[in-house]
Amino acid sequence: MERVIVLTSGKGGVGKTTTTANLAMALARAGHKVVAIDADIGLRNLDVVLGLENRIVYSLVDVVDGACRLKQALVKDKRVENLFLLPAAQTRTKDAVRPDQMKALCDELRADFDFVLVDSPAGIEGGFQNAASGADEALVVTTPDMSAVRDADRIIGMLESLDKHPIRLIVNRLRPNMVREGNMLDVSDVLDILAIDLIGVVPEDDNVVTSTNKGEPLTLNSISPAARAFDNISRRLVGEEVPFLEVDDMTSGGFMARIRRALGLKG
Amino acid sequence: MPLPEDEIILKSNGSDLRLVVAEGLSRQRVDDELVRVAEEAENVLKGSRVVLDFQGRVVDEALLQSVLNRLVWPTGMRLLSWITLDGASQNFLRRSGFTVGEPPTERGNRPKACRPFLLFRSLRSGQRVEHEGDVVIVGHVNDGAEVFALGHVFVWGRLQGLVHAGYEGDDGARVVVAHMEALQVRIGRRVGYMDRGAAWWGHPVVISVDGESVLVDAFSL
Ligand SMILES: Nc1ncnc2c1ncn2[C@@H]1O[C@H](COP(=O)(O)OP(=O)(O)OP(=O)(O)O)[C@@H](O)[C@H]1O
Ligand SMILES: [Mg+2]
């Protein structure tokens, strides 16, 4: 049952770290034992979003180098049971951890955790491939604009060839009732192009920014729209059938029908 | 037509052999399978001309080395070419001095006679098909994907990426698309810029060269 899931995107800044932190928190609150790995080596920030930056002693690279044991590097969250962070090192280059080392590390974590979530660097260069090497499944995060979607398409091609399965999509920062700007797509356009299963749509929500600043993922205690969306994604991850309510509020009826069709659900 | 999804299979292709490394095979198992094939098929492979087909898989330095060490050198096969849909891998293999893509048929002194290249899948951004003949894509060609054909190109799905038909200067080549959404199409030496506002946008079209210009005709069956 233990699952290793990499969170990726083609373009940077679309919300991988935000999503990792919120899903990790939501899954832990639901009683699963979760570790979030910050594999964006060199750009430490999952620790900040989770509010655990002051408690870091060792990093992922220390573990791989043998400078400490895996258990020593794990930072335990004090607000919820079952949530741990394996932080990134700040100083090394992106290739400090080799794919085989990453894989061994993830396999070691499988023994103790239900979910291993890997926050990876954007793009298709070495950093991403290393981060993905230990994962079975992938969640691809994109914003609903043409350039992010094209880059996501590229990443999905790579993930398919790396044999990750399933590969599922999160559309983040959807703005409801938005006047259609030139480059913005709606969710059905995105699904048309990427042709993978959708696992959730997260609305643009100012609470995300405040929660990041506070170091408190929204899924810890908020009922804001983004919190609900992340919570729903975490439930779909464990196989619950959660209707796509969050998008009901945002879009017209025809759209829901297409989503349902894309998901193989009935009317 | 459907091939096993999780093994390496050997197919005869006239005088040549084609070794298909299924995309569903995990990277770790590729190494094991290469050893197995090298052992089991050594007699067949020895001295044979072989095309290595990796489908959509990324061929990087490690995989290249593994294939040479486990398969090519131990069996004494003659490596004709490498096939992968991944554009970056194609560049990497060419830089390393290998032939990439379908090999031209060598027999006789006929002009290059290539069978059409048939692909039953969509091409994602960064993936590329190059073929010395006609290309038929039964799937979409996404933005950022590329198709280069010596002859005609048929796209049975949506075209958003780049197509160049008749890439050696054949203005008689055509591009036939079921769902046209590309901003640019190249035929022979011409480049056609497409108009999002045109009546045929999103519909079936035949694209050809007429004198100096690239012509788009809507069609229905
Ligand atoms: N749903 C949302 N609503 C509003 N703001 C958001 C939302 N999701 C993410 N953001 C904001 O977008 C910015 C980028 O998010 P984040 O750091 O999670 O992206 P990333 O993909 O991890 O970036 P990088 O590629 O740099 O690692 C952050 O400031 C974050 O607060
Ligand atoms: Mg990040």
Side-chain angles (χ1 to χ4, degrees):
Chain A
M1 147 82 197
E2 57 291 337
R3 292 159 62 181
V4 184
I5 306 175
V6 63
L7 285 99
T8 64
S9 69
K11 205 171 135 184
V14 297
K16 291 177 298 296
T17 301
T18 306
T19 305
T20 308
N22 278 285
L23 292 183
M25 179 61 80
L27 288 166
R29 289 193 60 208
H32 306 284
K33 201 168 171 200
V34 183
V35 58
I37 302 183
D38 192 350
D40 200 351
I41 296 166
L43 268 172
R44 179 148 85 176
N45 64 11
L46 181 59
D47 50 350
V48 177
V49 180
L50 279 168
L52 298 174
E53 74 271 24
N54 294 326
R55 313 231 332 268
I56 294 176
V57 184
Y58 295 111
S59 75
L60 170 60
V61 174
D62 294 318
V63 178
V64 168
D65 286 351
C68 72
R69 280 178 296 112
L70 178 53
K71 293 238 161 71
Q72 292 176 289
L74 293 175
V75 181
K76 184 177 180 346
D77 193 293
K78 287 183 173 157
R79 299 159 293 193
V80 290
E81 286 291 307
N82 296 333
L83 177 58
F84 293 79
L85 167 71
L86 183 53
Q90 211 149 20
T91 47
R92 304 291 192 86
T93 67
K94 291 212 186 272
D95 290 324
V97 178
R98 293 195 315 265
D100 56 316
Q101 294 171 323
M102 191 67 194
K103 190 171 180 315
L105 186 83
C106 290
D107 286 342
E108 196 177 340
L109 287 166
R110 276 176 209 272
D112 284 320
F113 291 92
D114 303 319
F115 283 92
V116 181
L117 302 184
V118 186
D119 182 18
S120 71
I124 49 165
E125 301 311 325
F128 152 72
Q129 296 217 22
N130 290 355
S133 55
D136 323 305
E137 310 174 29
L139 293 175
V140 176
V141 183
T142 185
T143 47
D145 61 277
M146 202 48 233
S147 78
V149 169
R150 185 198 323 183
D151 292 350
D153 190 46
R154 180 106 206 247
I155 280 290
I156 293 166
M158 308 277 290
L159 289 165
E160 285 171 346
S161 86
L162 292 168
D163 204 30
K164 304 301 172 199
H165 185 83
I167 302 167
R168 288 184 286 193
L169 183 71
I170 295 172
V171 179
N172 187 25
R173 308 195 73 159
L174 188 77
R175 278 184 276 167
N177 311 321
M178 196 191 51
V179 196
R180 263 186 90 104
E181 294 164 16
N183 284 327
M184 294 312 256
L185 305 169
D186 69 24
V187 177
S188 58
D189 295 335
V190 177
L191 286 177
D192 248 12
I193 294 169
L194 297 180
I196 58 173
D197 286 342
L198 179 73
I199 193 168
V201 179
V202 182
E204 173 79 22
D205 182 346
D206 290 339
N207 294 300
V208 171
V209 181
T210 18
S211 90
T212 300
N213 294 341
K214 276 198 293 186
E216 250 179 35
L218 287 174
T219 45
L220 175 64
N221 52 20
S222 159
I223 49 158
S224 76
R228 264 174 55 207
F230 284 124
D231 209 58
N232 286 345
I233 294 172
S234 76
R235 291 163 58 196
R236 293 186 193 111
L237 259 185
V238 297
E240 262 183 70
E241 277 211 16
V242 186
F244 275 70
L245 279 181
E246 64 265 38
V247 289
D248 260 348
D249 314 337
M250 304 173 205
T251 41
S252 57
F255 164 76
M256 272 308 290
R258 294 178 74 173
I259 295 278
R260 284 174 183 284
R261 242 181 289 133
L263 292 169
L265 299 175
K266 288 183 293 275
Chain B
M1 160 64 211
L3 299 174
E5 275 171 14
D6 59 350
E7 51 186 84
I8 294 183
I9 59 159
L10 204 53
K11 294 192 295 185
S12 161
N13 207 2
S15 62
D16 305 335
L17 293 175
R18 190 183 187 97
L19 194 124
V20 184
V21 180
E23 211 173 329
L25 193 63
S26 74
R27 178 62 183 83
Q28 290 97 305
R29 283 199 51 221
V30 169
D31 288 353
D32 301 341
E33 278 280 291
L34 286 171
V35 172
R36 179 184 71 79
V37 171
E39 280 169 6
E40 288 178 8
E42 195 183 342
N43 292 338
V44 187
L45 287 169
K46 194 170 178 63
S48 294
R49 296 151 36 100
V50 183
V51 176
L52 297 177
D53 183 349
F54 286 87
Q55 303 184 332
R57 190 181 292 271
V58 173
V59 180
D60 59 8
E61 212 178 301
L63 182 53
L64 172 63
Q65 280 173 356
S66 170
V67 171
L68 294 175
N69 285 326
R70 293 185 167 84
L71 181 76
V72 178
W73 292 329
T75 56
M77 58 179 253
R78 277 183 60 199
L79 179 51
L80 274 190
S81 71
W82 299 73
I83 293 175
T84 162
L85 294 176
D86 181 58
S89 301
Q90 293 169 12
N91 298 342
F92 163 68
L93 287 163
R94 283 209 182 92
R95 271 202 320 276
S96 312
F98 292 100
T99 307
V100 175
E102 298 289 342
T105 45
E106 238 178 37
R107 278 164 300 156
N109 279 335
R110 284 181 294 149
K112 279 177 192 162
C114 246
R115 301 173 66 184
F117 180 85
L118 240 81
L119 187 72
F120 287 87
R121 64 183 284 167
S122 296
L123 287 178
R124 293 193 182 276
S125 178
Q127 296 181 327
R128 177 163 72 206
V129 165
E130 276 177 43
H131 181 60
E132 298 189 27
D134 302 332
V135 174
V136 181
I137 310 273
V138 186
H140 304 305
V141 176
N142 287 0
D143 195 10
E146 299 169 323
V147 178
F148 296 93
L150 199 59
H152 311 295
V153 174
F154 301 80
V155 178
W156 281 40
R158 180 180 55 226
L159 173 63
Q160 294 182 322
L162 178 66
V163 165
H164 191 167
Y167 65 69
E168 281 189 355
D170 177 6
D171 285 350
R174 297 195 176 190
V175 178
V176 182
V177 182
H179 193 101
M180 177 63 188
E181 284 185 11
L183 287 169
Q184 194 195 100
V185 168
R186 302 183 191 171
I187 296 179
R189 283 174 299 265
R190 314 276 164 211
V191 180
Y193 295 96
M194 305 293 143
D195 173 10
R196 261 182 214 282
W200 43 257
W201 187 264
H203 294 285
V205 295
V206 180
I207 307 166
S208 56
V209 169
D210 180 27
E212 297 287 289
S213 53
V214 173
L215 204 70
V216 184
D217 287 309
F219 78 95
S220 55
L221 298 176

